């Protein structure tokens, strides 16, 4: 027996200790197995939960009974032991339970729990009928029909106190039984059946000079005379397939496709010892037909050579170092990533490439697949559960050396990452906004430190915080200031949408943009139209009382999606038919759409350019990866003239024939209650500007805005990032915001508004008392209702903590966790969000 430290997949702040008895050990490979990294089923309270073995600990006398591990769930570890310091640090920094950090890191569907099934005892049917003779609930009929209720149905029944007490009474009488079960993993290995000729038959064939594909008459020298015709035809089909593929094994599905009669005949051949039945694991691939990669350049640009001359020695030194690569759009950052990855693989180490969203993973994968082939895997939420499971195991086994993905790919089980690339490092998509609220960019830097790896943060518009770290020496700044091929940045025109300059124009496109779209189509070039808001209109108003149609579960207006004929909440997913009556005045009059989204932009573009081939790319049209790939391929093949989209079209894409970009409305982000609003607006405009003029023809950008004099728009027009950075620093000194201070947002939410309010007030009071006791320099703002006060039936309040000393913030958060049960009502939930990105 050994004693192990286990992090359970439950909201517990500390790991637990369990005994792992000898009878479970044979499930582990090797003579001296190490259980670290294995999943185990352990008792917790009255149920079994998944846990993750962290270490083997000394067996000592304890004042409590050490419980036993119930079951080992794996044949081999699911992560390398060198990832444990990384997991522990992440759990501590983000104040999130270690077991749930590891659960979030692993592919979904791999945290089974125990449950209980309700069984009807043999021969007790009549007694059960008599007990419920007056009124038989549906579950009794199900039990009489099937003799058992599945764990999910049983769990629902046992969760109702009155029903549970009645069932437990029947268990005591022997009428019913409760049996513990364990859920199966939602995903598992795919095993393929294969057939091959038995070794003796192969030897006989070689001795007699028989080759694959010969007819039945030529087999007479080596085959028994009593074989049926179907068996001979099966052997002929097998050898034909072997001849075509050059393999010695034939997959069952191919054999049965070639000759349907083989299904029975091959089993008879196995019994007679002429054929062997084999099995092997098949890895499901998400790639399909990749996008066409850009050709590898024969020569690097001077800028690329300069930055690689700094990065490659750091890779060779095998020491931790973080670089911030500030390169303008179109300067060839991706080629730098590829060359650095090539050098890393040559050193025998692994490569991890992170992008902020699935769209960019799809774009960059083609380049890496073209260079590194089967060593590349994908990890992101756009894969099916089975695909993600297999891609994870390819990385874990070492067969894959390059992992590409969105933020969750950060946890890929690479044994020895030597290079970690974070592309578009400024993007808020790296921040997880629910459950485990980590920032993928920041944890990438930590993982680099844990593995002595080089971390390369790349962006044309770095976050102010990252650029500050580079300017103060925490990161090493690298710059690329010239586009590939000496192409110039596009000319940018700003169009004032305010009434004083509008001249009575109607529609979404002002004269300059309308004419540019017409001219660009006539020239045979492609155009992009950006509006960072999906749907047709963000609000549907009642003409009689002026009230918007709101979500039943959130205090937000429903967005009109006219193509679907639905009104949709973009926060909880609630939707209703667009044909509604007013919920305030009950008017049945017409409802008026107000505002605009990408659907309306697409509609107006079709009216303006009836001959153009127009497509839309947003999360409504590209939820399916295959649809997204099809759209991108059509854009690359010049089958689309105008592409309308949200920020999905703004970053990372290389469309060499796009010569016009129109920003339909640049002001949406400026109106957000967020100290980063101007920074994010500048980044989005600069990124989409960079899509124009990447080929031989020069590019042009037209930005429509109500605030043409705002510094973020003016500086984006002039491509002046450093000036934007200096202005943002000055604004954030007083009142202090990052990078001069660190932030923690405390969110409290629940379905009872008054309890949420009172809980928030208690939390704020506790924070102020602890601040005095600790003599901490922490500024406490709030409590106050969140800008989005109610989401998904939950009322939301928040408190913002600010401090220059990060340790003081963490100390205060640890005190909050210790006293959580006293401060927060049981009906409410407290969320600690370290380094919050979304201030809504």
């Amino acid at each position: 027996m050994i004693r192990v430290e286990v992090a359970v997949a439950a909201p517990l702040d500390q790991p637990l200790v369990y005994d792992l008895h000898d009878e479970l050990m044979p499930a582990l490979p090797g003579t001296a197995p190490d259980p670290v990294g294995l999943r185990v089923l352990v008792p917790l309270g009255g149920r079994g939960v998944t846990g993750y073995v962290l270490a083997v600990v000394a067996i000592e006398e304890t004042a409590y009974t050490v419980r036993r591990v119930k079951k080992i769930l794996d044949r081999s570890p699911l992560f390398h032991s060198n990832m444990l310091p990384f997991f522990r640090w992440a759990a501590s920094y983000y104040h999130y339970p270690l077991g749930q950090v590891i659960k979030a890191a692993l592919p979904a569907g791999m945290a089974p729990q125990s449950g209980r099934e309700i069984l009807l005892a043999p021969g007790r049917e009549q007694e059960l009928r008599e007990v419920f003779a007056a009124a038989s609930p549906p579950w009794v009929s199900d039990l009489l029909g099937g003799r058992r209720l599945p764990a999910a149905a049983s769990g629902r029944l046992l969760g109702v106190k009155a029903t549970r007490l009645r069932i437990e009474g029947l268990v005591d009488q022997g009428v019913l039984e409760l049996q513990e079960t364990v859920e199966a993993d939602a995903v598992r290995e795919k095993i393929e059946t294969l057939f091959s000729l038995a070794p003796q038959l192969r030897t006989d064939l070689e001795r007699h000079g028989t080759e694959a594909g010969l007819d039945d008459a030529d087999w007479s020298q080596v085959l028994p005379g009593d074989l049926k015709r179907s068996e001979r035809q099966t052997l002929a089909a097998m050898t034909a397939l072997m001849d075509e593929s050059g393999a010695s094994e034939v997959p069952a599905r191919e054999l049965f496709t070639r000759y349907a009669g083989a299904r029975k005949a091959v089993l008879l051949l196995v019994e007679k010892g002429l054929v062997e039945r084999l099995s092997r694991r098949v890895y499901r691939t998400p790639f399909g037909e990749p996008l066409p990669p850009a050709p590898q350049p024969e020569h690097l640009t001077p800028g690329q050579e300069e930055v690689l001359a700094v990065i490659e020695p750091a890779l060779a030194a095998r020491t931790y170092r973080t670089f911030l690569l500030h390169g303008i759009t179109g300067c060839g950052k991706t080629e730098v990533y590829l060359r650095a990855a090539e050098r890393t693989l040559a050193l025998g180490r692994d490569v991890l490439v992170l992008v902020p969203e699935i769209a960019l993973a799809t774009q960059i994968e083609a380049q890496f697949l073209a260079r590194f082939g089967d060593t590349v895997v994908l990890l992101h939420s756009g894969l099916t559960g089975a695909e993600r499971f297999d891609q994870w195991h390819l990385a874990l086994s070492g067969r894959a050396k390059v992992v590409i993905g969105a933020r969750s790919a950060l946890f890929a089980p690479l044994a020895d990452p030597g290079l970690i690339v974070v592309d578009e490092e400024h993007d808020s998509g790296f921040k997880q906004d629910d459950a485990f609220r980590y920032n993928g960019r920041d944890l990438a830097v930590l993982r680099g430190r844990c593995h002595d790896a080089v971390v390369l943060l790349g962006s044309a518009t770095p976050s102010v915080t990252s650029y500050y770290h580079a300017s103060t020496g925490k990161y090493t700044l690298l710059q690329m200031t010239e586009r590939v091929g000496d192409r110039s940045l596009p000319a940018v025109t700003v169009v004032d949408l305010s009434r004083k300059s509008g001249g009575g124009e109607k529609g979404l496109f002002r004269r300059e943009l309308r004419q540019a779209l017409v001219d660009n189509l006539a020239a045979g070039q492609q155009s992009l139209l950006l509006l960072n808001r999906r749907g047709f209109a963000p609000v549907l108003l009642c003409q009689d009382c002026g009230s918007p149609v709101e979500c039943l579960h959130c205090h937000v207006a429903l967005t009109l999606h006219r193509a679907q004929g639905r009104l949709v909440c973009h926060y909880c997913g609630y939707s209703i038919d667009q044909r509604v009556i007013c919920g305030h005045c009950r008017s049945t009059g017409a409802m008026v759409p107000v505002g605009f989204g990408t659907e309306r932009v697409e509609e107006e573009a079709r009216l303006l350019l009836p001959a153009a081939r127009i497509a839309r790319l947003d999360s409504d049209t590209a939820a399916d990866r295959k649809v997204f790939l099809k759209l991108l391929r059509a854009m690359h093949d010049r089958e689309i003239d105008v592409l309308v989209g949200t920020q999905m079209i703004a970053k990372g894409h290389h469309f060499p024939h796009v010569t016009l970009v129109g920003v339909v409305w640049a002001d949406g982000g400026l109106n957000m209650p967020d100290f980063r609003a101007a920074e994010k607006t500048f980044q989005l405009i600069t990124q989409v500007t960079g899509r124009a003029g990447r080929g031989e023809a020069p590019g042009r950008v037209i930005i429509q805005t109500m605030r043409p004099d705002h510094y973020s728009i003016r500086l984006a027009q002039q491509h002046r990032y450093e000036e934007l950075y200096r202005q943002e620093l000055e604004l954030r000194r007083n009142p202090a915001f990052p990078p001069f201070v660190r932030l923690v947002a405390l969110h409290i939410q629940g379905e009872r508004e008054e309890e949420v309010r009172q809980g928030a007030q208690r939390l704020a009071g506790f924070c102020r008392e602890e601040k005095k006791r600790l003599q901490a320099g922490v500024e406490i703002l709030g409590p106050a209702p969140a800008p989005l006060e109610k989401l998904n039936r939950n009322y939301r309040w928040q408190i913002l903590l600010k401090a220059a000393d990060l340790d003081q913030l963490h100390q205060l958060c640890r005190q909050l966790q210790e006293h959580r049960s006293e401060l927060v009502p049981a009906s409410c939930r407290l969320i600690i969000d370290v380094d919050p990105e979304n201030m809504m």
Side-chain angles (χ1 to χ4, degrees), residues 512-523:
E512 293 90 340
L513 183 52
R514 284 200 308 271
Q515 190 60 50
L517 286 167
V518 171
D519 293 344
N520 210 50
L521 179 65

Side-chain angles (χ1 to χ4, degrees), residues 345-528:
L345 295 174
L347 293 167
R349 305 192 75 187
D350 303 323
V351 177
L352 177 59
V353 181
L354 301 180
V355 292
E357 55 189 44
I358 297 169
L360 289 179
T362 304
Q363 180 75 14
I364 206 170
E365 76 187 45
Q367 308 300 328
F368 276 82
L369 278 172
R371 300 283 180 94
F372 307 117
D374 293 341
T375 64
V376 179
V377 295
L378 284 183
L379 281 176
H380 55 66
S381 59
L383 310 184
T384 66
E387 289 169 346
R388 188 177 175 87
F389 178 83
D390 283 350
Q391 298 283 288
W392 175 277
H393 278 274
L394 284 169
L396 179 65
S397 68
R399 292 174 59 179
K401 304 292 288 180
V402 180
V403 173
I404 300 171
R407 59 175 176 259
S408 60
L410 169 75
F411 303 105
L414 294 169
D416 185 24
L419 173 68
I420 302 174
V421 174
V422 184
D423 192 28
E424 310 293 357
E425 66 84 29
H426 67 276
D427 199 285
S428 59
F430 282 116
K431 175 70 173 182
Q432 175 81 13
D433 266 340
D434 55 15
F436 176 28
R437 298 188 173 214
Y438 66 92
N439 189 304
R441 176 199 61 208
D442 297 345
L443 282 188
V445 173
L446 170 71
R447 189 164 185 193
R449 184 182 294 124
C450 290
H451 292 282
D452 288 325
V454 167
V455 181
L456 183 55
L457 310 178
S459 176
T461 54
S463 69
V464 168
T465 298
S466 292
Y467 205 82
Y468 180 79
H469 290 330
S471 65
T472 56
K474 184 176 180 179
Y475 302 158
T476 300
L477 179 63
L478 304 173
Q479 292 187 300
M480 296 170 63
T481 58
E482 300 293 333
R483 279 187 151 188
V484 173
D486 293 325
R487 298 182 180 96
S488 60
L489 288 168
V492 181
T493 302
V494 174
V495 175
D496 188 353
L497 293 177
S498 62
R499 288 183 181 178
K500 61 184 179 182
S501 64
E505 287 190 81
K506 295 182 179 179
L508 298 184
F509 310 139
R510 289 294 189 263
R511 175 178 50 81
E512 293 90 340
L513 183 52
R514 284 200 308 271
Q515 190 60 50
L517 286 167
V518 171
D519 293 344
N520 210 50
L521 179 65
Q525 301 289 354
Q526 293 175 301
S527 303
L528 294 183

